[in-house]
């Protein structure tokens, strides 16, 4: 009989990656009876798009919830998740904290280990050692994290070789407990069923939060001057500061100021000819670019910089669009009927076949965490 696994996302309603990636995870795994999910709910945010998307996802599979702290990224959310898990320990074999603050978890399992005797804790993080160095009292953090990882029933996973290596360097003596695990939070296969009607002007788009660091100032000016193209920003302002700093963006490019429901984003994105990923503010150049996964499912070529190591490695094998060294090279886009554009589509399909096989990925994933 398979072990029961509970995925826990303590920052669910914070938005952006935390919200959408976890929704993808649920959609990809809801048919597997041995997986359950738990998220934080923040009713005070009063975001109808979040609420509607959560209602839809809850129809796939009943989701465990707990009330979020006012600050949805608060350490108190990790504490609340921990307490909730105490009451679920008889039903669950493996607790898989998804992107939770590992220092907070380490302290909780250090001071209250008796609650989870003979239970297994899986920690899956996207952070690198740079995250640790930003903290105060680094030596104290390392002490607790190392103690946590040395527990027999604890494992730690990152999603890239670079992240794994940085954590191993940061937490010496725990190399065997810090490993890589394949991602299962890519967009679901149902997106392929969306009709991709692309006609008229070439259409370019930026999907996700409206914030600094995505070359939106350049894109705003470029597409105001080059009216032979269409441009659309699908996403809401990251916060009030972003809205203030980017208030100059022409309103015709912005679909709505608030976050959009996922189905609506997919419907609009399916009409794009190019997805623009011109990020210039990477805090971690080894981070996966989740928007690329959306481009793969939609089979929409991308335009990007080579500054992200992960994306550059992908691009070296899967030529899935245009990689430019500077904004001066943002021009001369192949038409959707050209041979090179069709090659871009072919590369996206090949990446999808190679990495988005959920049946195979789930089997490998489960074999890793259930050893």
């Amino acid at each position: 009989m398979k072990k029961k696994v509970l995925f826990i996302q303590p920052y669910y309603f914070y938005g952006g990656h935390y919200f959408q990636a976890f929704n993808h995870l649920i959609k990809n795994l809801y048919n597997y009876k041995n997986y359950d999910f738990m998220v934080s709910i923040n009713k005070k945010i009063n975001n109808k798009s979040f609420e509607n998307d959560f209602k839809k996802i809850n129809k796939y599979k009943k989701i465990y919830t707990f009330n979020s702290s006012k600050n949805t990224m608060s350490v108190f959310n990790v504490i609340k998740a921990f307490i909730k898990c105490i009451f679920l320990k008889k039903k669950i074999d493996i607790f898989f904290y998804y992107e939770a603050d590992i220092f907070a978890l380490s302290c909780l399992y250090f001071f209250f280990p008796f609650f989870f005797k003979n239970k297994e804790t899986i920690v899956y993080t996207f952070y690198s050692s740079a995250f640790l160095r930003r903290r105060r009292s680094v030596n104290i953090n390392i002490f607790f994290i190392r103690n946590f990882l040395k527990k027999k029933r604890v494992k730690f996973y990152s999603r890239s070789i670079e992240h794994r290596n940085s954590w191993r360097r940061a937490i010496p003596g725990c190399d065997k407990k810090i490993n890589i695990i394949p991602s299962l939070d890519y967009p679901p296969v149902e997106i392929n069923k969306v009709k991709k009607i692309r006609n008229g002007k070439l259409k370019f788009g930026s999907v996700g939060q409206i914030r600094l660091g995505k070359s939106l100032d350049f894109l705003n000016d470029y597409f105001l001057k080059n009216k032979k193209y269409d441009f659309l920003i699908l996403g809401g302002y990251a916060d009030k500061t972003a809205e203030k700093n980017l208030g100059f963006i022409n309103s015709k490019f912005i679909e709505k100021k608030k976050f959009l429901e996922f189905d609506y984003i997919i419907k609009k994105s399916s009409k794009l000819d190019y997805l623009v990923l011109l990020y210039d503010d990477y805090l971690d150049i080894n981070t996966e670019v989740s928007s690329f996964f959306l481009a793969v499912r939609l089979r929409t070529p991308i335009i990007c910089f080579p500054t992200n190591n992960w994306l550059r490695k992908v691009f070296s094998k899967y030529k899935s669009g245009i990689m430019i060294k500077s904004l001066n090279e943002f021009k001369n886009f192949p038409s959707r009927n050209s041979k090179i554009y069709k090659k871009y589509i072919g590369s996206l399909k090949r990446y999808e076949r190679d990495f988005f096989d959920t049946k195979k990925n789930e089997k490998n994933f489960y074999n890793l965490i259930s050893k």
Side-chain angles (χ1 to χ4, degrees), residues 14 72 319 323:
Y14 178 74
T72 51
K319 302 295 190 297
M323 182 171 279

Side-chain angles (χ1 to χ4, degrees), residues 131-275:
F131 177 75
L132 287 172
R133 287 195 293 269
R134 286 201 298 271
R135 291 182 176 279
R136 295 179 179 179
S137 305
V138 172
N139 290 335
I140 295 175
N141 296 335
I142 291 175
F143 167 79
F144 279 102
I145 295 171
R146 182 189 292 170
N147 181 278
F148 180 51
L149 295 183
K150 285 191 172 182
K151 291 181 182 296
K152 183 179 179 181
R153 306 292 289 178
V154 172
K155 299 176 184 178
F156 178 101
Y157 294 111
S158 66
R159 62 194 298 163
S160 73
I161 293 173
E162 291 81 8
H163 284 178
R164 181 202 64 188
N165 292 345
S166 67
W167 278 98
R168 285 179 173 180
R169 288 192 296 269
I171 315 294
C174 294
D175 285 10
K176 292 182 179 180
K177 303 299 291 287
I178 301 173
N179 292 296
I180 301 169
I181 201 164
S183 169
L184 284 161
D185 58 17
Y186 42 79
V189 69
E190 67 187 50
I191 293 176
N192 287 345
K193 299 177 183 178
V194 177
K195 289 185 178 180
K196 302 171 185 64
I197 302 174
R198 294 167 183 169
N199 50 35
K201 298 179 182 179
L202 278 182
K203 297 176 178 61
F204 299 74
S206 173
V207 177
Q209 291 182 333
I210 302 174
R211 61 171 179 80
L212 293 172
K214 300 176 78 171
S215 301
L216 292 177
D217 50 347
F218 165 80
L219 294 171
N220 177 71
D221 293 342
Y222 182 89
F223 288 108
L224 281 175
K225 295 176 183 176
N226 293 273
K227 296 182 179 180
K228 61 180 178 179
Y229 303 125
D230 282 337
F231 178 59
L232 186 63
I233 300 174
L234 288 165
Y237 285 103
D239 48 40
K240 290 183 179 179
T241 301
E243 187 169 2
K244 180 180 179 180
N245 291 334
L246 295 167
F248 59 82
I249 295 178
N250 195 292
S251 59
K252 72 177 182 178
F253 297 144
I254 299 176
E255 190 70 11
K256 290 182 181 179
K257 291 185 177 182
K258 295 183 178 180
F259 288 97
L260 307 173
E261 290 181 33
F262 183 66
D263 290 345
Y264 185 83
I265 290 176
I266 295 304
K267 180 181 178 181
K268 288 289 186 177
S269 298
S270 67
K271 299 178 182 179
L272 299 175
D273 296 292
Y274 288 98
L275 193 60

Side-chain angles (χ1 to χ4, degrees), residues 318-331:
Y318 302 88
K319 302 295 190 297
S320 50
I322 305 169
M323 182 171 279
I324 61 176
K325 294 180 180 179
S326 72
L327 293 173
N328 292 331
E329 297 178 14
F330 191 79
K331 55 187 176 181

Side-chain angles (χ1 to χ4, degrees), residues 15 33-34 49 56 69 103 152 154 233 252 319 355 357:
K33 294 182 179 179
N34 60 307
S49 295
K56 291 176 183 176
S69 299
F103 175 65
K152 183 179 179 181
V154 172
I233 300 174
K252 72 177 182 178
K319 302 295 190 297
F355 293 98
D357 185 335

Side-chain angles (χ1 to χ4, degrees), residues 32-43:
Y32 296 88
K33 294 182 179 179
N34 60 307
Y35 296 117
D36 281 323
F37 308 89
M38 184 167 74
V39 303
S40 62
I41 298 296
N42 195 332
K43 296 179 180 179

